[in-house]
Amino acid sequence: MALDFIDKEQLIAAAKLAKVLGHPLRIQILHLLNQQTMTVGELAHLLNVEQSSLSHTLKKMREFQLVSQRRAGKEIYYSATDSHIIETVQRLLDHEAHVLQNAPHHE
């Protein structure tokens, strides 16, 4: 039986995406933006981070299509873009909850 390999370009792109998702702040941003659209200022206040730093983080997340932005007057609103990413993050969190509780994994 021949094994199926992942296309090299897709594999590299997925690894880059995993690296972007591999930061706690970015996971928290996705979690919050999945619940509600927010401005940089609102997010910065909630997360207790500088707006300039957060803007850089959001730019990186936009590059990977993790968040989208919408301008309304002077404000820019951010929202979570892709339900696949939200589901993936939630599965990561569910897995980690199982690990932390030493609970059996689902088959």
Side-chain angles (χ1 to χ4, degrees):
M1 170 192 242
L3 296 176
D4 182 29
F5 283 85
I6 301 168
D7 175 77
K8 186 176 181 177
E9 286 182 28
Q10 185 179 18
L11 189 61
I12 291 168
K16 287 178 182 178
L17 175 59
K19 186 175 180 180
V20 171
L21 286 173
H23 192 282
L25 178 62
R26 293 180 188 139
I27 293 172
Q28 188 68 268
I29 289 169
L30 284 171
H31 180 73
L32 293 171
L33 292 179
N34 186 50
Q35 298 171 67
Q36 178 178 321
T37 298
M38 289 186 240
T39 66
V40 175
E42 291 168 332
L43 276 169
H45 176 74
L46 284 172
L47 297 168
N48 196 30
V49 296
E50 294 291 325
Q51 271 191 254
S52 60
S53 173
L54 185 58
S55 291
H56 177 74
T57 298
L58 289 166
K59 179 182 178 198
K60 180 66 123 179
M61 293 175 76
R62 278 194 328 271
E63 290 172 7
F64 282 85
Q65 299 179 12
L66 301 177
V67 298
S68 60
Q69 66 179 23
R70 172 183 54 85
R71 184 176 291 278
K74 292 184 178 184
E75 296 288 353
I76 298 177
Y77 291 87
Y78 289 87
S79 57
T81 302
D82 190 337
S83 62
H84 294 110
I85 294 297
I86 299 302
E87 290 171 18
T88 299
V89 168
Q90 188 56 55
R91 287 179 185 243
L92 289 170
L93 295 170
D94 291 346
H95 172 77
E96 192 54 31
H98 277 95
V99 170
L100 290 172
Q101 297 171 2
N102 290 321
H105 294 288
H106 303 288
E107 295 295 323

